[in-house]
Amino acid sequence: MSPAHRRLYLDGQFVEGPALQEIRNPWDGSVVATVAAAGAAEMERALAAAHAAREHGRHLSAGKRRDLCQAIADGIEARAEEFARAICTEAGKPIAIARGEVKRAIATFSLAAAETTRFGGEVVPIDLDAATGGYEAITRRVPAGVVAAISPFNFPLNLGAHKVAPAIAVGAPVIWKPPPQAPSAACLLAEVAHEAKVPRGMLQVLPCSNEVAEKLATDPRIAILSFTGSVPVGWMLKEKAKRAKVILELGGNAAAIICADADLGWAAKRCAQGGMIYAGQVCISVQRIYVERSCYEAFRLKLLGEVRMIRAGDPGDQSILVGPIIDESHAKRIEGWIEEAREGGATVHGGGREGTVVHPAVLENVPPGARISCDEVFGPVILLAPFDDFDEAIASANDSRFGLQAGVFTDSLGRVRKAWRDLEVGGVIVNDYPTFRQDNMPYGGVKESGLGREGLRYAMEDYTEPRVLVLAGR
């Protein structure tokens, strides 16, 4: 079977670009798609089309925006297996997990459709003294302008959906730069949106180089820049952004805290899955686990038992949880970090690399300052350490330049309240792994993990501005 060919979606049309990119399967290196790449001229055309579409988007009724979002959800569902296969072969995501991502993208657009029916404004009481007696103020949310969406390879459909769906829901034109490693899901979504009759210029999908994409940060016609990806690139784009409001969803090295009163079997199962699923290539993957010393050995044995049962290999196999790392250079980096920790005195259980596949590893006694502890490993690696006091566990979890999410396993309401108050993260997950995300909840981080929040209503607020109407009392 010849590789699929994907074109740019530009100003309501599918067109070729000045360059062509081959997309290779990270599992076996085979070419699975060819993709047209935009140049500077195509980017300029997209910006002009999006800027011109603002007026049309501003006048779309709530009902029309609802129907467009729901039509896209239905269109993804009708082609669900095609989306899943594209994600599997391009991103190396195990097929069962890829199918789960497609289901989430369907839900993301359906949630956006529902949110349009209640997202609006408010009445503000301003009759506060004799001079404003009888006055009323009403607000409505209006689209801020053109949205630039940049998304990574690890969730090539749903992370883009979290930017495209709220934009369409509020009537804001959006230009989406998909990940170069796995662009087909975005290109397929463009086909679905075209079939749904999304108005011209309201959605454009432009695979392109980082150099071409930089225009999305620097051009004054961009009102919102929403970026999900690596920490250095995210903060660099923020520095380059001129007038745009910047929303960053970046990396993390998520911690889980296991207390002695927790269900240790459940905690071990969930942490093993949360650390190893999709080879750990998830920004809220479980990376650090702090275990109360009195139950450390019992939890350790359960966790190692769960990890040993996890299979690594061909992502097309329904039973595989750990597929390939996105490319061999990243696989070698992960292997190098593990070896660096081992040389520093860490005990390593499991591990090993075969090409792009890194086998699950659990590390104990990791030396302070090791990169595998301080940075985001983005691989199937879990670090295990004991604690004696809950305050110590909180401090260890907070001893990071990241702050995306954390998990706390306990039956103590007092500890839950303390964790919610004191953990320096965007979200605290109780009695489940920090890898948890539901698509309508506010999601985002603090410190170097980002700025702003996603989740449909929260993104819709970021993509709009309040406009007040004051009615004089006379």
Side-chain angles (χ1 to χ4, degrees), residues 405-409 423 425 427-437 441:
Q405 291 195 159
V408 178
F409 291 82
L423 280 170
V425 291
V428 177
I429 314 300
V430 177
N431 289 326
D432 207 348
Y433 51 32
T435 321
F436 177 88
R437 180 182 181 181
M441 74 185 227

Coordinates of all heavy atoms in Angstrom, one line a residue, residues 405-409 423 425 427-437 441:
Q405 N 0.8 18.4 37.5 CA -0.1 17.7 38.4 C 0.6 16.8 39.4 O 1.7 16.4 39.1 CB -1.2 17.0 37.6 CG -2.1 17.8 36.8 CD -3.3 17.1 36.2 OE1 -4.3 17.8 35.9 NE2 -3.3 15.8 36.1
A406 N -0.1 16.4 40.4 CA 0.5 15.5 41.4 C -0.7 14.6 41.8 O -1.8 14.9 41.8 CB 1.1 16.2 42.6
G407 N -0.3 13.4 42.2 CA -1.3 12.4 42.8 C -1.0 12.1 44.3 O 0.2 12.1 44.7
V408 N -2.0 12.0 45.0 CA -1.9 11.6 46.5 C -2.8 10.5 46.8 O -4.0 10.6 46.6 CB -2.3 12.8 47.4 CG1 -2.1 12.5 48.8 CG2 -1.4 14.0 47.0
F409 N -2.2 9.4 47.3 CA -3.0 8.2 47.6 C -3.1 8.1 49.2 O -2.1 7.9 49.8 CB -2.3 6.9 47.1 CG -2.4 6.8 45.6 CD1 -1.5 7.5 44.8 CD2 -3.4 6.0 45.0 CE1 -1.5 7.4 43.4 CE2 -3.4 5.9 43.6 CZ -2.5 6.6 42.8
L423 N 0.7 21.7 47.7 CA 1.4 21.2 46.5 C 1.4 22.3 45.5 O 0.3 22.9 45.1 CB 0.7 20.0 46.0 CG 1.1 18.7 46.7 CD1 0.2 17.5 46.2 CD2 2.6 18.3 46.5
V425 N 1.2 22.9 42.2 CA 0.8 22.3 40.9 C -0.5 22.8 40.5 O -1.2 23.5 41.2 CB 0.7 20.7 41.1 CG1 2.1 20.1 41.3 CG2 -0.3 20.4 42.2
G427 N -3.0 20.9 39.4 CA -4.0 19.9 39.8 C -3.5 18.9 40.8 O -2.4 18.3 40.6
V428 N -4.3 18.5 41.8 CA -4.0 17.5 42.7 C -5.1 16.4 42.5 O -6.3 16.6 42.6 CB -4.1 18.0 44.2 CG1 -3.8 16.8 45.1 CG2 -3.1 19.1 44.4
I429 N -4.6 15.2 42.2 CA -5.5 14.0 41.9 C -5.4 13.1 43.2 O -4.3 12.6 43.5 CB -5.1 13.2 40.7 CG1 -4.8 14.2 39.5 CG2 -6.1 12.2 40.3 CD1 -6.0 15.1 39.1
V430 N -6.6 12.8 43.8 CA -6.6 12.0 45.0 C -7.0 10.6 44.7 O -8.0 10.4 44.0 CB -7.6 12.7 46.0 CG1 -7.6 11.8 47.3 CG2 -7.1 14.1 46.4
N431 N -6.2 9.7 45.2 CA -6.4 8.2 45.0 C -6.4 7.8 43.5 O -7.1 6.9 43.2 CB -7.6 7.8 45.8 CG -7.4 7.8 47.3 OD1 -6.3 7.5 47.7 ND2 -8.4 8.1 48.0
D432 N -5.7 8.5 42.7 CA -5.4 8.1 41.4 C -4.1 8.7 40.9 O -3.6 9.6 41.6 CB -6.6 8.4 40.4 CG -6.6 7.5 39.2 OD1 -5.7 6.7 39.0 OD2 -7.6 7.5 38.5
Y433 N -3.6 8.3 39.8 CA -2.3 8.8 39.3 C -2.4 10.3 38.8 O -3.5 10.7 38.4 CB -1.7 7.9 38.3 CG -2.6 7.5 37.1 CD1 -3.5 8.4 36.5 CD2 -2.3 6.3 36.4 CE1 -4.3 8.0 35.4 CE2 -3.1 5.9 35.3 CZ -4.0 6.8 34.8 OH -4.7 6.4 33.7
P434 N -1.3 11.0 38.8 CA -1.4 12.4 38.3 C -1.5 12.4 36.8 O -1.7 13.5 36.2 CB 0.0 13.0 38.7 CG 0.9 11.8 38.9 CD 0.0 10.7 39.4
T435 N -1.5 11.3 36.1 CA -1.7 11.2 34.7 C -3.2 11.4 34.3 O -3.5 11.3 33.1 CB -1.2 9.8 34.2 OG1 0.1 9.5 34.9 CG2 -0.8 9.9 32.7
F436 N -4.0 11.6 35.3 CA -5.5 11.7 35.0 C -5.8 13.1 34.4 O -5.3 14.1 34.8 CB -6.3 11.5 36.3 CG -7.7 11.7 36.1 CD1 -8.6 10.7 35.8 CD2 -8.3 13.0 36.3 CE1 -9.9 10.9 35.6 CE2 -9.7 13.2 36.1 CZ -10.5 12.1 35.8
R437 N -6.6 13.0 33.3 CA -7.2 14.3 32.8 C -8.6 14.0 32.2 O -8.7 13.0 31.4 CB -6.3 14.9 31.7 CG -6.8 16.2 31.1 CD -6.0 16.7 30.0 NE -6.5 18.0 29.5 CZ -6.0 18.7 28.5 NH1 -4.8 18.3 28.0 NH2 -6.5 19.8 28.1
M441 N -12.2 19.5 32.4 CA -11.7 20.1 33.7 C -10.6 21.1 33.4 O -10.0 21.1 32.3 CB -11.2 19.0 34.6 CG -9.8 18.4 34.2 SD -9.3 17.0 35.2 CE -7.6 17.5 35.5

